[in-house]
Structures are given as structure tokens and as C-alpha cells.
Amino acid sequence: MSPIGALAQDSASTGGSSGYVPPDRGHPDLSANLPDNEVGTGTTEELQFEITNDGEITSGSGQGVTDAQSVTVEMDDDGPFESQVDERSIGAVQDGGVAEAVFPVAVPDDLEAGEYEVTLEISYTYAETIGTDGSVDRERDSETVDVTVEVPEEPRFEVADVNTDVEPGASGDAILEVENTGTVAANETRATITGGGGVVVDGEAAREVLGDIEPGETATAVVNVQVNEATSGGAKPLDLEFTYRDENGVQQEAEPETASLAPADEQEFSIQNLESDLSVGYEGDVSGQVRNDGPRTIDDAVLVVEPMSETVFIEDTRYALPEIEPGETADFTYPTDVSGQADAGDRQLRFTVEYTGGDDSPLQDGPHSERVSVEDRQDEFSISGDNVSVEQGGSNEFALEITNERSQTLSNINAMLYTSGELDTDDDEAFVDELAPGESAEITFDISATSAASAKTHPVELDFQYDTESGETIVSDTYQHPVDVRQSEDDGGGITGTLVGVLGALAVAGVGITLWWRRG
């Protein structure tokens, strides 16, 4: 351009003597900066980019031509990171102003320390020219900016393992293995550990001293955890915050960590093969098996039974169980009494297993509701013996067979025979040492009849005193058995007959007195 042309242009730009006013021309100039550019590995970090506008005026006063409108920021290249958002819209950025664009990015846990670049594309609209008549020439433009992100040389902590055998409803130790996965040592490391999801650590929070941890080394923290009984299944969070001193002795904070604590599975038991031989008015047994449904071997459990009926009595309700491995069973038996006022029918029992958790906390499983049947009252013995007979004025020895109808062995069985009226006995007692269920034994007595006894069938009565397997002594109800009195072949007569009749009458009276006295 010639000096004359240049002079003319300069004159035009200033208005010159002709009064010419040039239009406003210019454009924004956007740049990106990342004030906090350090990120930790194995985390999701928010990269907070500052978008700055340092606009440029080409001509005129520049009013409005340097402002950026409808600004969008796109992460065009996220480098080794994984951006969670592709684009951000940040509105207008005036000349000299600053706006923020936030991009969450996932940082790989195996990323080495060093500097990495990410690329942003910043797009915007602006008024390139604003004429003196108010006309506007708008343009859309973009700028590409590289920004450095740093993974610093520092300690980084990872909870390698959390182990506990505490189950819901219990408390005890949890062991945490903390590894320094960073590139430099952490000195005087401390961790603050808190729980969530129904897990409480040390009442509120545990503050543990982990000491000096070199890169690749681990430290162990043992904390007390309490797991609420109503806690649902699955892993629960443990939050850890770390402080340490760097190589210069300055206290620093490391990235927090969240670990998973999996409470032990809740111990469970079940009642199987429940049987009973209960009947109204008698003592019997309730027996069955306890199955350990896992997951642990239990060696100190107690089975507790609670009858839900006032007519069923169990004196010792606590049954100590042996060691039971998962999947195994243990037998139990409860001696049980049923009131004589009870009705036959089903009765409900509740079983609860008390045991100690892996941390020695007292725990229980149950109650488990089960039903047993109470049968109608039944005789302890059945009696058989045919053709028991005696002649008028004579005597006879006879045998009866008794059978144990109970489901338990009975011992020290003392049988008593009672006569009255025209019958008498000189041998009214018999003894059986022991009868197992369904076993029979023969007992013998003698019987006599007065000469005046009616020739017909007369009843005699028996009862039994015996001991049960639990050592209880019981007197049975009274049993009746028939005795046939046969007519005498010598029917008597005269004075002799009369005398025999009188003596017989006196004998009957004597027998009656004797029977009354023994039963009294």
C-alpha cells in the first residue's frame, strides 16, 4: 500500500475532517485453564476448567464485538481419562470475564504418575461487526485448547481386603488391609473409619494409626463393628479418610476410600422329625432333631422349648446341644406332662436356639413354631386272662397277663387285687420288675368264694403302682376283671348247711371290713 493510501486509511479510521465513523469490529479470544490440575488414580475427579475471554478490537470502540455468546465446551480428546460428559454449555463470557466448565472424568487406577493432556474445543457466537446504523454481522467460531492434567507422585491408598465373621445382630472385629498403591511413602499414616447401611464402627468412628507405609506395602487395622439385626443382606460401606506426612514432614490428606464389609451370613437352624407320645393325664416325651442350616459350626447351642398351652408342662425347658456342623443334626428329648384336665388335640410348641456368635456375642434363632398331638387318655396296661373261676365255698389260683401299653419302659410294677362281698383273697399282691413298651408278664393271685356266694360272674378290681423312666411314681386307675363263681357240687343241707351259711355270712362281713381298712 502506498503512503498516500495508508494516510487516507488512517484518516478514515479516525474520522478525519470528513467526520467518518468506522463500524465496531473485533472478536473474542477464549482460553482454558485448569487451576487444580492434580487428580488421584482409581477415582472419578471433577476437572473444573476456567474459560477466560480476552477479546480483541479491530476497529471502532469495540462495544459488544468482544463478547462470546452461547459458549459450549466439548472435551474433544480426554487423553487417558474417561469423560463422563461430552459437552457443557456455559452461556455468555464477556470480554475480561471468566466462566467455569466442569467435566467429571474417571481416572484409571493403574495410571502412572505424570502429566497428561486433554483437548477442549470451545465454540461460541459473536458479533463480528456492528455498524453505525446498528446492523450486526454475527459469526460462529471455535478454538481448540490443550490443557495439562497431572497425576502427582504421592501415596494412594486402597483397601485390599475387609474380613469379619460378625453376623446381623452381633458385634465384633473387622480386619482391614490397607495398601499404599501410590509412588511414594506415606509416613505417620492415620485413617478415620466410619460405617453405613446398618454398620456402626467403634460406636461412631474408629481412628486408627497405620504408621509408615511404603509403596506396595500394606497395613492392618482392626476395628469393632456392630451390625444391626434388621440389616438387609449384601455388602455394607465403610468410608475411610487418610492423613499422612510427606517427605518434608508436612501433613497431607489423601484421597478418601470406600470399602465393602460383608457381614457373615446369619446362622440358621430348623426343627425336624418332631415326634411325641403324649396323652391326657400322663407323662410322655417330645423328641426330634435340630438341624444346623449353616453357615458355621456351632458348639455351644442350647435349645429352648416353650409350651403354648397351660395343660402341657415341661419342667426343664433348656436342652444343651452338642457340636453341630453345617448340614448335621442333633437329637433332643423333652420329658413332658399333660394335665388330666386337658382335652385331646394338637398343641403348639415354640423352639428357640440360643448360641454364641463368632465374636462371642449372645445370639438366637427362632422361635420356630411346631405342633404335637395329645391323644385321649389311655390305660397303662391291658389285662387278659380267660376262665378265671372259683367254686362256692372253695378257692382257686389264677393268672393274668398284663401288657405295657405305654411308649416307655415302666419299672417296679406293684399290682394289687381287691375283692369285696362274696369273694376274698389271701394273695392280693404281685410284682413285675420291668416292662418295655409292648412287653407282657404274668401275675398270679388266689381267690375264694363263700359257700353262699351267688353262682354268677363277679368283678374283682386291680390297680398298679409303677415308676416311669423319669423316676416318677404313679398309681394307675382301677381296672376290673371278671371272676365266675360256680355252683358247688355239694349243695349242703341241714345243720351243716345252715352253719356253713352263717359262717359264710360272717366271712363276707369280715372281708368287707378288711377291704375297707386296706383301702383306707
Side-chain angles (χ1 to χ4, degrees):
M1 182 181 295
S2 67
I4 295 176
L7 180 60
Q9 183 177 357
D10 182 63
S11 175
S13 66
T14 59
S17 60
S18 66
Y20 171 74
V21 178
D24 290 328
R25 288 190 178 94
H27 59 82
D29 186 7
L30 300 181
S31 61
N33 181 44
L34 187 60
D36 183 7
N37 71 336
E38 292 187 352
V39 295
T41 59
T43 62
T44 297
E45 300 275 1
E46 287 192 342
L47 301 182
Q48 299 178 351
F49 296 98
E50 291 183 350
I51 308 302
T52 304
N53 184 3
D54 186 12
E56 182 179 344
I57 299 172
T58 304
S59 67
S61 64
Q63 184 67 33
V65 296
T66 55
D67 294 339
Q69 306 291 332
S70 302
V71 181
T72 61
V73 182
E74 180 182 357
M75 187 169 284
D76 188 52
D77 182 1
D78 52 11
F81 313 108
E82 183 179 344
S83 177
Q84 310 295 299
V85 176
D86 292 332
E87 186 177 84
R88 290 292 194 191
S89 178
I90 61 175
V93 184
Q94 295 181 345
D95 185 18
V98 179
E100 190 175 75
V102 179
F103 285 83
V105 295
V107 185
D109 57 5
D110 58 351
L111 191 61
E112 295 183 358
E115 293 184 348
Y116 301 90
E117 284 191 347
V118 297
T119 301
L120 302 179
E121 183 176 338
I122 308 171
S123 301
Y124 56 91
T125 300
Y126 70 102
E128 180 185 33
T129 303
I130 302 177
T132 56
D133 60 355
S135 61
V136 179
D137 181 13
R138 294 189 178 278
E139 296 288 339
R140 184 73 180 171
D141 202 356
S142 64
E143 298 180 21
T144 301
V145 182
D146 290 332
V147 183
T148 300
V149 180
E150 182 181 358
V151 179
E153 297 274 357
E154 63 181 2
R156 292 191 294 270
F157 299 101
E158 180 180 310
V159 181
D161 188 32
V162 180
N163 189 19
T164 186
D165 59 2
V166 178
E167 61 187 273
S171 63
D173 289 341
I175 303 173
L176 291 80
E177 297 291 335
V178 179
E179 181 181 0
N180 179 1
T181 60
T183 56
V184 296
N187 301 318
E188 300 179 23
T189 308
R190 296 173 181 268
T192 300
I193 307 170
T194 55
V199 175
V200 180
V201 180
D202 276 3
E204 182 177 358
R207 294 168 176 82
E208 298 294 312
V209 177
L210 303 180
D212 299 341
I213 314 176
E214 294 291 330
E217 289 186 351
T218 59
T220 301
V222 180
V223 298
N224 180 269
V225 296
Q226 179 178 351
V227 182
N228 293 342
E229 187 171 4
T231 298
S232 59
K236 308 303 173 186
L238 294 180
D239 295 323
L240 293 89
E241 297 180 351
F242 300 96
T243 62
Y244 66 95
R245 293 192 182 278
D246 61 20
E247 58 185 3
N248 298 318
V250 179
Q251 182 167 298
Q252 305 284 355
E253 291 184 1
E255 291 290 333
E257 275 286 306
T258 298
S260 295
L261 178 142
D265 291 336
E266 193 168 1
Q267 183 68 38
E268 293 183 347
F269 299 87
S270 57
I271 305 298
Q272 299 181 345
N273 303 322
L274 191 66
E275 297 179 349
S276 66
D277 60 353
L278 305 181
S279 58
V280 175
Y282 292 109
E283 180 187 74
D285 290 323
V286 173
S287 60
Q289 294 177 322
V290 180
R291 186 179 190 274
N292 180 359
D293 294 324
R296 297 186 294 109
T297 297
I298 301 298
D299 61 2
D300 61 352
V302 174
L303 180 65
V304 183
V305 65
E306 179 186 6
M308 304 307 294
S309 169
E310 295 181 354
T311 58
V312 176
F313 308 96
I314 300 178
E315 182 175 354
D316 190 355
T317 60
R318 302 178 64 83
Y319 192 94
L321 299 172
E323 178 177 292
I324 319 175
E325 295 183 0
E328 290 188 346
T329 60
D331 297 333
F332 65 84
T333 299
Y334 287 101
T336 305
D337 285 325
V338 180
S339 167
Q341 306 303 314
D343 294 324
D346 290 340
R347 299 293 189 276
Q348 188 179 59
L349 303 177
R350 287 184 179 175
F351 294 92
T352 301
V353 181
E354 296 179 352
Y355 64 100
T356 301
D359 59 330
D360 294 333
S361 298
L363 299 172
Q364 65 180 30
D365 179 61
H368 302 274
S369 293
E370 301 288 342
R371 290 181 180 274
V372 294
S373 185
V374 175
E375 303 295 335
D376 282 323
R377 187 181 187 94
Q378 62 181 29
D379 292 335
E380 300 96 320
F381 303 95
S382 58
I383 302 174
S384 62
D386 298 332
N387 302 322
V388 178
S389 63
V390 61
E391 188 177 282
Q392 292 172 331
S395 63
N396 190 23
E397 184 179 87
F398 67 94
L400 299 176
E401 184 179 78
I402 62 171
T403 302
N404 178 8
E405 300 294 345
R406 297 291 300 276
S407 60
Q408 60 175 295
T409 298
L410 306 180
S411 59
N412 299 322
I413 303 166
N414 188 10
M416 294 292 296
L417 177 70
Y418 301 99
T419 60
S420 62
E422 299 170 326
L423 301 180
D424 193 12
T425 179
D426 290 329
D427 183 9
D428 61 358
E429 186 172 357
F431 181 80
V432 177
D433 180 59
E434 183 177 277
L435 285 179
E439 188 178 3
S440 301
E442 187 176 84
I443 55 177
T444 59
F445 302 97
D446 67 16
I447 191 75
S448 62
T450 66
S451 60
S454 303
K456 64 179 182 179
T457 300
H458 296 255
V460 292
E461 295 182 343
L462 301 94
D463 64 23
F464 301 88
Q465 179 176 292
Y466 60 90
D467 293 338
T468 65
E469 289 181 351
S470 64
E472 183 180 9
T473 299
I474 295 177
V475 177
S476 73
D477 289 339
T478 300
Y479 296 76
Q480 286 191 336
H481 197 77
V483 175
D484 291 330
V485 175
R486 306 187 308 274
Q487 187 169 354
S488 173
E489 295 180 1
D490 181 8
D491 56 3
I495 296 175
T496 302
T498 302
L499 181 59
V500 170
V502 172
L503 292 176
L506 292 175
V508 169
V511 168
I513 293 172
T514 301
L515 181 61
W516 172 83
W517 176 257
R518 290 170 64 182
R519 289 196 173 179

